[in-house]
Amino acid sequence: YSSAASDVYKRQDVSVIVPVYNTEKFLQRCLDSLTDQTLKDIEIICVNDGSTDNSLKILEDNAQKDKRIKIVNQENKKQGAARNAGMQIATGEYIGFIDSDDWVDLTYFEKLFKTAKEYDSDIALATNVRIGKNKFKKRLNLESVKKYTELQDKLDICHQWRNECPTNKIYKKSYLEANNIRWPEGVYCEDKLFTIKAVYFANAVVTVPEVYYYYFDNPKSTVNSCTKEHRKKLNIDKNNARRDVINFLNEQNANVRDKNFWYVKCSIRLFNTIPLFTVKQSTKTTKGILFGFIPVFMCGGNK
């Protein structure tokens, strides 16, 4: 990697990892929200994932101005590999992940870090706000500081089954390493398996109110790409990620609310589009569905 601070080896409070791929229109906003943080002992690891626009130039210009910015260059390998590359060189006690078209409050890392330390928590959790055209929606609305240690409570406060957001949290680096928690590479929806492992192994999740991560609903993001080929790949990877989550929970003999986690085990479709018959699997339950909404059988221990 290249860095304006390659001669500085001081352990930081937080390492912020930013995967960057062709986000020149939004990147400066993201970087400004990081360099202006009230918590000064941070390093900002920007992984340029094979960008073909002006993103690398923007990173280099900012690194000249702020010695805390480190740049990692690699060929395009998707977000999972980019985040893993950042984790390999991170020196912070805690690690945070920011997407390069998103931004955070200027007190974001100070509040999360201080609360995580005060409550001896492996994860500190902030409110995630989704922003798009005429859209401002809080995915979470945390109103107080509270520490959660029981697995189901941790899953519930994170809304893990429907909002497996990895970016509105900071994670203690030592426990990520101890449990070998890394990102799946070369696939979409890599956040599902990473976050379920991170929440499962965390000694606690502590909530931090009145501080926000702003998720920008970028119409050109990988999630919103409209090509038929891309959507097919995305849907396959999403279902495989859900399967991997259930496999992980079962391997751990995790006592979780069964109805929250499902994947499509098999599906028969008319003309490759209309769902005729689908079999879904959870941690304990198998169910058959006709035409996408009519339940025809269920077996196992749903609860």
Side-chain angles (χ1 to χ4, degrees):
Y1 66 91
S2 60
S3 170
S6 58
D7 58 336
V8 178
Y9 296 96
K10 177 182 178 294
R11 181 182 179 90
Q12 303 298 314
D13 291 336
V14 178
S15 296
V16 186
I17 297 171
V18 187
V20 180
Y21 178 69
N22 290 352
T23 51
E24 62 179 0
K25 291 183 179 180
F26 315 108
L27 182 55
Q28 191 60 55
R29 176 180 63 189
C30 173
L31 294 174
D32 287 345
S33 79
L34 299 180
T35 56
D36 292 342
Q37 286 290 304
T38 55
L39 182 67
K40 299 306 180 184
D41 286 336
I42 65 172
E43 62 177 354
I44 304 164
I45 302 172
C46 299
V47 184
N48 178 44
D49 191 37
S51 295
T52 57
D53 65 357
N54 202 41
S55 294
L56 178 58
K57 178 67 164 54
I58 295 170
L59 293 177
E60 291 173 338
D61 289 346
N62 280 268
Q64 289 294 320
K65 300 172 185 176
D66 195 316
K67 65 182 181 179
R68 297 172 299 174
I69 296 177
K70 300 177 181 179
I71 303 171
V72 178
N73 274 305
Q74 65 179 34
E75 62 185 35
N76 182 241
K77 297 179 181 179
K78 294 189 174 65
Q79 281 191 326
R83 289 168 175 157
N84 284 337
M87 289 176 69
Q88 286 181 345
I89 65 168
T91 66
E93 184 178 359
Y94 282 78
I95 293 178
F97 300 96
I98 302 292
D99 289 343
S100 58
D101 46 6
D102 300 340
W103 70 100
V104 292
D105 284 340
L106 299 186
T107 58
Y108 182 84
F109 285 109
E110 180 177 12
K111 287 185 176 180
L112 264 64
F113 177 72
K114 288 185 175 179
T115 307
K117 293 285 287 182
E118 181 181 352
Y119 286 83
D120 186 28
S121 180
D122 286 338
I123 293 178
L125 173 70
T127 295
N128 186 28
V129 178
R130 189 180 183 94
I131 293 185
K133 188 176 181 180
N134 301 320
K135 185 187 297 182
F136 185 96
K137 183 179 180 181
K138 290 182 180 180
R139 287 288 189 88
L140 295 173
N141 191 15
L142 308 175
E143 298 180 346
S144 63
V145 177
K146 190 171 180 181
K147 182 176 179 179
Y148 298 84
T149 58
E150 296 299 319
L151 176 58
Q152 190 61 59
D153 292 339
K154 292 188 294 179
L155 296 175
D156 286 345
I157 193 59
C158 293
H159 292 191
Q160 188 64 38
W161 57 91
R162 62 182 173 86
N163 184 31
E164 57 285 319
C165 176
T167 49
N168 63 332
K169 307 169 180 69
I170 62 170
Y171 311 82
K172 195 167 188 178
K173 182 186 176 187
S174 59
Y175 101 97
L176 293 178
E177 292 179 335
N179 294 288
N180 195 29
I181 302 174
R182 293 292 182 268
W183 298 86
E185 298 190 6
V187 294
Y188 298 114
C189 302
E190 72 288 337
D191 47 0
K192 294 182 185 298
L193 189 58
F194 177 89
T195 52
I196 196 71
K197 288 184 176 181
V199 172
Y200 177 85
F201 286 115
N203 70 340
V205 174
V206 64
T207 55
V208 185
E210 299 179 355
V211 63
Y212 302 107
Y213 180 100
Y214 299 97
Y215 171 85
F216 177 60
D217 194 7
N218 183 354
K220 294 186 178 180
S221 70
T222 55
V223 173
N224 291 326
S225 175
C226 293
T227 66
K228 185 177 179 180
E229 214 173 273
H230 173 88
R231 298 303 300 181
K232 182 179 180 181
K233 165 72 170 166
L234 181 62
N235 288 333
I236 291 172
D237 285 356
K238 182 183 292 185
N239 192 58
N240 288 343
R242 288 171 174 165
R243 176 202 62 202
D244 292 344
V245 165
I246 289 173
N247 287 341
F248 168 76
L249 291 171
N250 285 338
E251 287 167 4
Q252 302 299 324
N253 293 314
N255 185 21
V256 300
R257 191 181 301 115
D258 186 45
K259 66 182 181 180
N260 288 152
F261 299 96
W262 294 92
Y263 82 98
V264 175
K265 194 171 185 178
C266 63
S267 181
I268 300 172
R269 292 176 174 266
L270 291 175
F271 312 113
N272 291 323
T273 55
I274 303 171
L276 179 61
F277 181 69
T278 303
V279 176
K280 288 189 173 183
Q281 179 70 49
S282 71
T283 54
K284 300 181 180 69
T285 306
T286 304
K287 64 182 178 181
I289 303 171
L290 197 61
F291 304 125
F293 66 95
I294 303 174
V296 292
F297 75 84
M298 180 177 291
C299 58
N302 191 37
K303 60 179 180 177

